[in-house]
């Protein structure tokens, strides 16, 4: 039997950066994200009647470097005594480049592996399992605007506003297609241990989260824009002030930020956010999506853009 599940990446508006517990992969801060619609990862899982090692194909190529994380996630879902698995992953966007491909991958993986191993966990249980592999993946189990609450021992995740209730658009400007130089897990450890800004990042996170949640519930775009940009720049300040520093941006990243500033000065409802990579994500009201998209396409250094509305959480596709 083979089970296929699909999940979309999510983009954090209030970021997760830093871990409370590394062994359980528990985040140090709560976060709020939007789940996308048109970027996707499909994961197929097939548990075999054999003792052969697990195999992993990512976009048609063997991916030995990622296999250990995938196998560990399968152990969490199906138990360490599980049968070996063939896992095949397909994404319609660049992976490992700061586009939250691990979020969509692990969200889809837990859904497929749970069904394939005969489980019937609910969405929160699956989100906690996905989060144990990639903190941001927990949010991709849910659609729309998603809040992840970081507790002492576990996370809670819920949709705070459905995508249909506030249909924002996201335009992703791709400025580099290669993999990022430092993975987010390693970068977080460095920030926790060396950035003088890390403690104030932790202290202020709940204020930002409360402001963002209120803005979403009030559909207040200006308020959401202000707090999301501020939160993003604070996260990058922790990265920049880590020793040695972690700078994911390139020249085109800055050019995109200038483009968005120029649009804002013309009262176009748009804001930026940037994750552990050089890509810029512009979040806007639907009526602004064409103008934002063409302004980013014309920005120096932008390789291409992708556009998405907000979408649903991870789900099963087929079992054959
Ligand atoms: O889920 P991870 O370990 O890849 O960390 C993701 C961290 C950011 O994307 C930078 C922020 C976030 O909340 O998604």
């Amino acid at each position: 039997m083979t089970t296929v599940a699909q999940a979309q990446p999510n983009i954090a508006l209030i970021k997760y950066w830093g871990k409370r517990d590394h062994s359980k992969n528990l985040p140090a801060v709560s976060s709020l994200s939007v789940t996308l619609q048109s970027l996707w990862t499909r994961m197929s899982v097939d548990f075999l009647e054999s003792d052969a090692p697990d195999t992993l194909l990512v976009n048609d190529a063997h991916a030995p470097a990622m296999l250990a994380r995938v196998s560990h996630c399968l152990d969490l879902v199906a138990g360490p005594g599980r049968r070996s698995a063939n896992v095949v992953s397909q994404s319609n966007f660049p992976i490992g480049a700061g586009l939250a491909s691990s979020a969509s991958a692990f969200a889809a993986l837990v859904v497929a592996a749970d069904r394939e191993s005969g489980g019937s966990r609910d969405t929160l249980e699956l989100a906690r399992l996905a989060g144990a592999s990639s903190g941001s993946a927990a949010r991709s189990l849910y659609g729309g605007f998603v809040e992840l609450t970081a507790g002492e021992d576990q996370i809670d995740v819920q949709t705070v506003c459905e995508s249909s209730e506030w249909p924002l658009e996201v335009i992703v400007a791709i400025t580099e297609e290669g993999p990022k130089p430092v993975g987010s897990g390693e970068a977080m450890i460095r920030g926790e241990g060396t950035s003088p800004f890390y403690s104030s990042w932790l202290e202020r996170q709940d204020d930002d989260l409360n402001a963002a949640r209120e803005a979403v519930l009030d559909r207040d775009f200006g308020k959401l824009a202000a707090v999301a940009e501020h939160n993003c720049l604070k996260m990058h300040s922790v990265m920049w002030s880590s020793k040695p520093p972690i700078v994911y941006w390139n020249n085109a990243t800055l050019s995109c930020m200038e483009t968005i500033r120029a649009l804002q000065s013309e009262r176009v409802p748009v804001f930026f956010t940037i994750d552990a990579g050089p890509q810029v994500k512009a979040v806007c009201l639907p009526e602004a999506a064409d103008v934002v998209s063409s302004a980013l396409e014309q920005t120096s250094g932008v390789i291409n853009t992708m556009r998405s509305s907000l979408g649903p959480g991870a789900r099963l596709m087929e079992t054959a």
Side-chain angles (χ1 to χ4, degrees), residues 31-258:
S31 54
L32 190 144
S33 61
V34 286
T35 302
L36 301 183
Q37 166 76 38
S38 54
L39 280 60
W40 50 255
T41 300
R42 290 185 188 138
M43 277 279 181
S44 103
V45 178
D46 189 1
F47 284 117
L48 309 167
E49 301 286 350
S50 94
D51 299 333
D54 296 333
T55 64
L56 173 65
L57 277 183
V58 176
N59 291 341
D60 303 321
H62 285 282
M66 291 163 70
L67 183 59
R69 271 178 90 190
V70 166
S71 293
H72 176 65
C73 181
L74 293 173
D75 290 349
L76 294 178
V77 176
R82 66 176 171 83
R83 288 177 287 152
S84 71
N86 283 345
V87 178
V88 179
S89 168
Q90 287 286 342
S91 293
N92 69 344
F93 61 97
I95 59 166
L99 279 176
S101 56
S102 67
S104 49
F106 285 103
L109 184 63
V110 294
V111 172
D114 182 61
R115 175 58 65 91
E116 179 69 11
S117 59
S120 56
R121 292 179 173 94
D122 66 22
T123 308
L124 181 57
E125 288 175 291
L126 292 171
R128 287 176 176 151
L129 288 169
S133 292
S134 163
S136 56
R139 300 184 308 237
S140 275
L141 269 295
Y142 293 79
F145 294 78
V146 178
E147 181 170 345
L148 183 153
T149 309
E152 285 295 326
D153 301 317
Q154 62 182 10
I155 55 166
D156 278 292
V157 196
Q158 59 173 330
T159 292
V160 293
C161 175
E162 298 290 344
S163 52
S164 57
E165 295 176 312
W166 203 19
L168 301 185
E169 295 267 328
V170 179
I171 289 113
V172 182
I174 309 289
T175 65
E176 215 168 284
E177 286 182 314
K180 54 190 165 202
V182 188
S184 54
E186 188 188 333
M188 285 185 207
I189 292 173
R190 203 184 291 176
E192 290 160 19
T194 62
S195 169
F197 301 155
Y198 185 66
S199 57
S200 50
W201 160 253
L202 298 182
E203 271 163 34
R204 302 291 182 87
Q205 183 76 349
D206 282 349
D207 295 346
D208 288 1
L209 190 76
N210 291 338
R213 187 193 315 106
E214 258 176 48
V216 170
L217 296 178
D218 294 346
R219 319 281 191 266
D220 184 338
F221 189 83
K223 183 171 171 178
L224 184 61
V227 70
E229 287 192 354
H230 181 63
N231 188 267
C232 164
L233 293 174
K234 281 196 298 186
M235 178 184 76
H236 285 273
S237 303
V238 172
M239 297 168 176
W240 284 45
S241 58
S242 298
K243 288 183 190 166
I246 298 154
V247 178
Y248 287 113
W249 301 0
N250 58 29
N251 290 345
T253 311
L254 281 161
S255 300
C256 289
M257 289 162 79
E258 271 177 32

